Amino acid sequence: MYKAVIILPTMVFLFIVNACHKEIKSEKGGIDLISNVYFEASKGLDKVQNFHLSRINYSGDTIIELIPDLTFPEITNEIYYIQDSLYYSLGKENSSSLLSEISKKQKPVFIEKKNAGALFSREWIPNYLHRKNLSDTVLFSKKYKRFEVISAKSFARYYIYPTDTILPYSIYQHAETDYGGRLERIDSYNKEKDIFVTLQLLPRKKWDNEAKDIFEFNEFAKNKK
């Protein structure tokens, strides 16, 4: 009887802990990938170029990725339809694309082979096992966990925002699993080339207009059947 009294509260406690750490899947929204490249960084941060690498839009498991022109980011160079581990090209403007028909007519390509926009890779961070944990910090009113990886030629710092909300895209999934959050920023410095690079993942709730048209057209076509 004594053992039962001890075990029952323990089981209840474990259930509560697991429930509190339940991951929540974000159903719809967008993600921007932004990069700033600083040249001759040791002399200051005046020589900089800004790049909008990708505009990801998602509804459930369906992703519409817009690839901005690096020189004129308001121009879309390519639209990708991503489902599971495959992607299809929708061209530059295709708001009336029936995604179900695209997947039937077009030969898909594995997302690991996509070389524009957001890169989908299963590789680990180089030298990840030799990383050093740093103290937490606050950026843009958000508290981040941090770690860094240092080599003879470069160093990089990684910023992870603690959250249970899961997005359909992550830069390095293995680090997010280890630190219980979302990798939202990487700062890296190449000592030989004297180049400092920041990569930011910026989640948002709204779709881009181009992706919104595609999602709504497909939802309309689906309900019309």
Side-chain angles (χ1 to χ4, degrees):
M1 186 66 181
Y2 175 76
K3 290 183 178 180
V5 172
I6 297 297
I7 292 174
L8 184 58
T10 302
M11 291 177 65
V12 172
F13 173 75
L14 290 175
F15 173 78
I16 293 173
V17 169
N18 289 332
C20 291
H21 288 82
K22 184 179 179 181
E23 294 179 343
I24 303 169
K25 187 176 181 180
S26 179
E27 288 302 318
K28 63 177 289 188
I31 303 168
D32 289 302
L33 284 180
I34 307 292
S35 180
N36 296 325
V37 181
Y38 299 87
F39 302 92
E40 298 181 4
S42 63
K43 298 179 182 180
L45 302 178
D46 297 325
K47 293 183 179 181
V48 58
Q49 281 187 273
N50 306 309
F51 300 101
H52 199 154
L53 302 177
S54 174
R55 303 200 304 270
I56 295 174
N57 301 265
Y58 61 91
S59 177
D61 295 324
T62 301
I63 295 175
I64 299 296
E65 182 183 16
L66 310 178
I67 310 300
D69 185 278
L70 294 181
T71 305
F72 302 99
E74 64 276 7
I75 298 175
T76 299
N77 276 347
E78 186 74 43
I79 301 175
Y80 292 131
Y81 159 46
I82 301 172
Q83 188 73 45
D84 298 323
S85 60
L86 306 172
Y87 81 92
Y88 308 81
S89 175
L90 302 183
K92 292 185 177 182
E93 295 181 8
N94 216 329
S95 60
S96 59
S97 296
L98 271 177
L99 301 181
S100 58
E101 294 299 318
I102 293 289
S103 60
K104 291 177 183 178
K105 297 177 181 179
Q106 191 178 133
K107 184 178 179 180
V109 183
F110 286 108
I111 54 176
E112 287 88 352
K113 295 183 178 181
K114 187 167 67 68
N115 55 18
L119 299 184
F120 291 76
S121 174
R122 298 182 183 181
E123 294 184 6
W124 278 34
I125 295 170
N127 297 319
Y128 178 72
L129 296 179
H130 301 287
R131 69 192 183 279
K132 176 185 177 182
N133 288 325
L134 303 173
S135 59
D136 294 350
T137 190
V138 176
L139 289 175
F140 310 112
S141 302
K142 296 172 72 173
K143 187 175 182 180
Y144 288 94
K145 297 179 180 179
R146 295 187 301 165
F147 66 89
E148 68 179 11
V149 178
I150 300 175
S151 68
K153 298 181 180 180
S154 65
F155 78 83
R157 286 184 176 175
Y158 300 80
Y159 299 75
I160 296 180
Y161 175 60
T163 178
D164 293 329
T165 302
I166 304 300
L167 300 180
Y169 174 78
S170 62
I171 303 174
Y172 287 110
Q173 180 64 53
H174 68 94
E176 296 187 347
T177 300
D178 288 345
Y179 286 86
R182 181 166 59 236
L183 180 57
E184 291 190 349
R185 183 184 176 103
I186 302 174
D187 291 344
S188 58
Y189 177 63
N190 186 306
K191 299 176 184 178
E192 290 184 330
K193 297 181 178 180
D194 195 19
I195 294 177
F196 180 74
V197 179
T198 68
L199 175 65
Q200 290 179 272
L201 183 154
L202 305 174
R204 50 183 162 80
K205 295 181 179 180
K206 293 184 177 181
W207 293 326
D208 290 296
N209 289 332
E210 295 148 291
K212 182 174 181 289
D213 290 341
I214 294 173
F215 283 133
E216 290 183 347
F217 176 79
N218 277 266
E219 185 64 25
F220 173 79
K222 180 181 176 182
N223 293 332
K224 194 175 180 181
K225 290 182 178 180

